[in-house]
Amino acid sequence: MDIKGPGLDTMLGMDASNVEIAILTENLRSMSTISEEVTTGMSKLSTTNKAAIRHIGPLMNTLRELKIKQGNLHAVESKVAEIKEYAKNIRQLDELLDADLLDAGITGVKQFIETLRKLRAIGSDMKQQGLGGYKALNRQLVEGMLSGDTLLKSDVLKRVSQLNGKDTKNIEEIRVEYEYLTRERDIDIDEQIMRERIGLLKRKMGSCAISTPKVNNDQNYIYDGGNSESFPVYIDKIKGMLSNELYFAELLGSYVNKYVSVVSFEIIGILNGIINFVEKRRTSYNTMYYELCDGANRFVGWLFEQHLVVDQTLQQLAAKCERDALNTFGEFFQYIRSKYEEMVVNVNSHETLNNTFMLISTRINNFSRLRDYQLQYISQITINEWLPVNLPNGFVAEKERSSDPLFLLGTFYSDAIEYSFYLLADKYRGKKADEEVGVILLFNLDGLQTLLEGKSLLKQILGQRGMDRYEKLKKKAMDRAVMQWSTLTARIMQASTLSGSNLSMSQKDLVKFIEEFNITFQELQTTFQRMDIPPYFRKQLVQDITKTLVPSYKIFHAYAGQTGGRSVAKHLTLTPSQLADELSKM
């Protein structure tokens, strides 16, 4: 140790203990200084530690965040792979949707729908996996699903518009698409389907719609059916269309009455149009009510059978048509009377075939062509209900009662013929001789005869009973045509009355009677030969005259010759055989 210095002497002069104390004191002082330095250092260290402790918390948090971020990074790396897989699947499914699967039949439709289900499943899965925030991917997914729904909806409507009849193939495809859209996607397309089908129905109805007939201006015309575009034919077409439509609508669970309402509205419009046409031309076209009633009742009845709503207006129109159809029978007799009321009798004319009678006979024949309809409607009325209150002289209404349609219709036509016959006779009553009237009646019956030959429909309707009534009319006409011959025969028979074994009249009266007979016979013979009589009836009349006159004359001739002797016999210019020969010449 360097002991040099100012305190060396002092130190040297001290004893050892003092030296030790001094050294100790110095050491203590040095130690105090070091302690202070240590204390100061520790104080500083303490302050530093507090600051470190203050900053350690955020640091630990940062470390924890780093660890979390590091974990998320690993999760994101995992999700990236999933997202890539989702994107790949979405792209593949989108490509499938663009592959015209809908044109591949029911298999393609089901595959298309299954593709849409997979897209929806991907969307749900992405949400569950927390990937809903990937906007581009989700947008692609949503657009794919919406595009698919739109395509599917469009395909349903396209198939619906093309559906024709009970097409089970298309129906199955439509049903699968319809169920998916309505049940799984909650898309309401009923109204669109119905609009599409109703529009198609209207177009089809328009293509087969009927119009009012072309007006026949012939005043004597009567509509006798046979129209290929009749109202019943139209209704059958509509029923077929609607039946297919109901089949289709029921498969989809739609409300079929909407279809029925549209169709009923169209039918009512057409029906009203034809009714208005008929009402303006009732005389010629009232028989159209048979067809209108038939068509309307067919449709209404079918709706009831199908348990569908029936339009009240349509029911009312059907009831009106039925009433008017029943009225045609009475109106026919009104027409006959009106024609005879219009008829003008020319006393000086030598007409044989009467235009009015033949016109009515032709109308009767044409009217009979509607037999099937008439059998249907006449069963709803009682016998003779068609007859007018005032009947012509000689007409006798049928007394037998029956509800058999064949009997009723046969009676109706027999009545019509007989009614016309007696009205014609009444028109000439007191204006022409009975023989002339009889010949006129025969002529007209002969004209009617041509309508009753062979397998005539009118003849079938009349039946045996009606033909018997017709034969009685001919007999009445023939009796009237030979009335003077009948009178001559009656006088011969009266002159043949015996008193004992001789004729009751005197010889003078007998000669006078014979001369009158000869003159009358020649006059009647000449008149008959000049008369224009139909060959069939002329032959029949001659036979009838011969059948009664010759036997009566033969008896008279025998008794006259016996009673009067030669003075009477010379006046008998004709023998019975000669009389017969003269008659045969007629």
Side-chain angles (χ1 to χ4, degrees):
M1 170 183 291
D2 186 7
I3 56 174
K4 289 180 182 181
L8 183 57
D9 292 338
T10 305
M11 293 177 61
L12 291 176
M14 294 180 179
D15 56 21
S17 59
N18 288 335
V19 172
E20 289 178 357
I21 292 171
I23 292 170
L24 180 59
T25 300
E26 187 64 26
N27 285 337
L28 287 172
R29 195 167 42 250
S30 296
M31 284 293 292
S32 176
T33 301
I34 292 169
S35 294
E36 288 177 0
E37 290 177 356
V38 170
T39 298
T40 302
M42 289 298 293
S43 176
K44 290 180 180 180
L45 181 60
S46 175
T47 302
T48 301
N49 285 339
K50 286 180 181 179
I53 290 172
R54 255 193 334 268
H55 290 87
I56 197 70
L59 180 61
M60 293 302 294
N61 289 335
T62 300
L63 290 175
R64 280 195 298 272
E65 287 179 3
L66 287 175
K67 289 181 179 180
I68 290 173
K69 288 180 179 180
Q70 185 179 21
N72 285 343
L73 183 60
H74 290 304
V76 168
E77 289 175 352
S78 175
K79 290 297 180 184
V80 166
E82 291 182 25
I83 292 170
K84 288 181 179 179
E85 187 65 24
Y86 285 139
K88 177 183 175 182
N89 290 339
I90 292 171
R91 185 170 60 254
Q92 290 175 344
L93 292 175
D94 281 344
E95 289 173 356
L96 277 177
L97 294 180
D98 293 334
D100 295 330
L101 292 177
L102 295 177
D103 294 330
I106 188 63
T107 301
V109 169
K110 290 181 177 179
Q111 189 176 353
F112 188 93
I113 291 173
E114 189 57 34
T115 300
L116 291 177
R117 289 188 178 123
K118 288 178 180 178
L119 282 174
R120 291 175 61 200
I122 288 174
S124 298
D125 190 45
M126 286 179 62
K127 287 181 180 180
Q128 291 177 0
Q129 297 298 329
L131 301 177
Y134 292 87
K135 294 181 179 180
L137 193 60
N138 272 282
R139 184 168 58 251
Q140 183 183 2
L141 180 65
V142 171
E143 288 176 354
M145 288 189 293
L146 290 176
S147 175
D149 289 346
T150 302
L151 284 173
L152 202 61
K153 181 178 177 181
S154 175
D155 189 65
V156 169
L157 296 177
K158 183 181 76 173
R159 292 182 189 275
V160 163
S161 67
Q162 296 173 348
L163 192 65
N164 185 25
K166 296 181 179 180
D167 187 347
T168 54
K169 174 188 175 184
N170 265 329
I171 281 290
E172 183 63 23
E173 292 161 352
I174 291 170
R175 175 162 41 195
V176 170
E177 293 175 330
Y178 177 84
E179 289 179 352
Y180 172 78
L181 289 171
T182 56
R183 296 181 183 179
E184 295 187 36
R185 299 297 292 140
D186 197 25
I187 297 174
D188 184 5
I189 59 172
D190 283 4
E191 288 297 326
Q192 290 173 281
I193 290 176
M194 294 186 73
R195 280 198 301 271
E196 186 68 39
R197 292 307 296 177
I198 287 172
L200 182 62
L201 261 180
K202 286 183 176 180
R203 291 192 294 274
K204 286 183 177 180
M205 290 178 71
S207 67
C208 68
I210 59 173
S211 57
T212 54
K214 185 178 179 180
V215 178
N216 190 317
N217 293 318
D218 183 356
Q219 292 182 352
N220 301 321
Y221 170 79
I222 182 172
Y223 178 79
D224 57 4
N227 185 1
S228 61
E229 295 184 352
S230 67
F231 191 65
V233 172
Y234 168 73
I235 288 296
D236 285 342
K237 290 179 181 178
I238 298 303
K239 280 171 55 183
M241 294 179 192
L242 190 54
S243 178
N244 291 336
E245 202 60 42
L246 298 184
Y247 168 80
F248 164 69
E250 287 169 356
L251 286 175
L252 299 184
S254 302
Y255 294 101
V256 297
N257 280 317
K258 291 185 179 180
Y259 293 95
V260 175
S261 177
V262 171
V263 173
S264 296
F265 181 80
E266 296 292 325
I267 291 175
I268 289 169
I270 290 178
L271 188 55
N272 269 323
I274 299 177
I275 288 174
N276 291 335
F277 172 87
V278 172
E279 287 300 316
K280 294 176 182 177
R281 305 163 183 86
R282 197 175 181 92
T283 300
S284 298
Y285 289 94
N286 66 342
T287 48
M288 284 195 75
Y289 278 118
Y290 294 148
E291 294 180 346
L292 298 181
C293 179
D294 179 34
N297 282 337
R298 282 190 197 185
F299 189 68
V300 170
W302 181 76
L303 291 179
F304 278 121
E305 288 175 4
Q306 301 297 320
H307 306 292
L308 299 171
V309 172
V310 180
D311 189 284
Q312 187 176 2
T313 301
L314 185 58
Q315 285 182 279
Q316 292 171 349
L317 287 176
K320 170 187 166 43
C321 290
E322 185 164 2
R323 289 192 302 271
D324 287 313
L326 295 175
N327 288 337
T328 57
F329 298 102
E331 289 175 359
F332 196 85
F333 279 82
Q334 294 172 16
Y335 173 84
I336 295 174
R337 176 169 285 279
S338 70
K339 287 302 175 183
Y340 280 107
E341 288 174 348
E342 295 171 3
M343 174 182 162
V344 177
V345 176
N346 186 349
V347 178
N348 298 320
S349 70
H350 298 285
E351 71 170 7
T352 50
L353 202 61
N354 180 265
N355 289 333
T356 301
F357 184 88
M358 292 313 302
L359 180 150
I360 290 171
S361 297
T362 302
R363 192 179 185 87
I364 289 173
N365 185 62
N366 293 341
F367 196 54
S368 70
R369 294 173 186 169
L370 297 165
R371 175 188 61 178
D372 293 341
Y373 276 130
Q374 290 163 356
L375 286 172
Q376 176 183 345
Y377 295 113
I378 203 167
S379 61
Q380 301 180 46
I381 59 181
T382 58
I383 195 165
N384 299 331
E385 189 177 333
W386 49 77
L387 291 176
V389 176
N390 298 318
L391 297 172
N393 292 313
F395 185 96
V396 179
E398 178 63 61
K399 292 181 173 58
E400 184 173 335
R401 292 292 180 265
S402 174
S403 59
D404 177 20
L406 290 172
F407 177 83
L408 290 171
L409 193 61
T411 302
F412 167 82
Y413 278 99
S414 294
D415 284 351
I417 293 171
E418 194 165 320
Y419 186 69
S420 179
F421 176 88
Y422 284 113
L423 282 178
L424 179 61
D426 274 357
K427 291 296 289 188
Y428 288 108
R429 186 180 299 277
K431 297 176 182 178
K432 284 183 177 289
D434 285 337
E435 289 78 7
E436 290 184 86
V437 175
V439 170
I440 292 173
L441 293 174
L442 281 175
F443 250 103
N444 288 283
L445 288 176
D446 185 56
L448 177 60
Q449 179 73 38
T450 60
L451 302 175
L452 298 174
E453 294 176 348
K455 296 181 179 180
S456 160
L457 181 59
L458 180 58
K459 182 179 180 180
Q460 294 176 35
I461 294 173
L462 291 173
Q464 189 58 51
R465 188 183 186 89
M467 292 304 295
D468 288 344
R469 287 181 64 179
Y470 173 70
E471 291 299 326
K472 289 179 180 178
L473 292 181
K474 289 198 296 185
K475 183 66 170 61
K476 287 180 180 294
M478 287 191 290
D479 288 346
R480 200 160 186 172
V482 297
M483 186 171 289
Q484 291 189 47
W485 288 98
S486 300
T487 302
L488 183 61
T489 301
R491 289 183 64 191
I492 284 288
M493 293 175 66
Q494 185 179 7
S496 301
T497 304
L498 297 176
S499 175
S501 59
N502 296 315
L503 295 176
S504 59
M505 65 177 62
S506 66
Q507 187 173 350
K508 181 180 178 182
D509 290 338
L510 186 57
V511 171
K512 182 181 178 182
F513 175 81
I514 293 172
E515 290 177 346
E516 290 177 351
F517 174 85
N518 290 336
I519 294 171
T520 303
F521 178 80
Q522 289 178 355
E523 289 176 347
L524 292 177
Q525 184 186 33
T526 301
T527 301
F528 189 88
Q529 287 175 328
R530 290 176 178 174
M531 291 174 68
D532 188 7
I533 304 174
Y536 169 80
F537 288 115
R538 178 179 290 276
K539 181 179 180 181
Q540 187 66 44
L541 287 172
V542 171
Q543 289 176 351
D544 290 348
I545 293 170
T546 303
K547 190 184 299 181
T548 57
L549 182 59
V550 171
S552 300
Y553 182 77
K554 187 175 183 179
I555 295 172
F556 173 78
H557 188 276
Y559 285 119
Q562 177 183 325
T563 301
R566 292 182 179 180
S567 61
V568 173
K570 65 180 182 181
H571 294 283
L572 294 171
T573 58
L574 293 172
T575 64
S577 60
Q578 289 174 329
L579 180 69
D581 289 340
E582 289 298 319
L583 289 173
S584 66
K585 294 177 183 178
M586 297 193 306

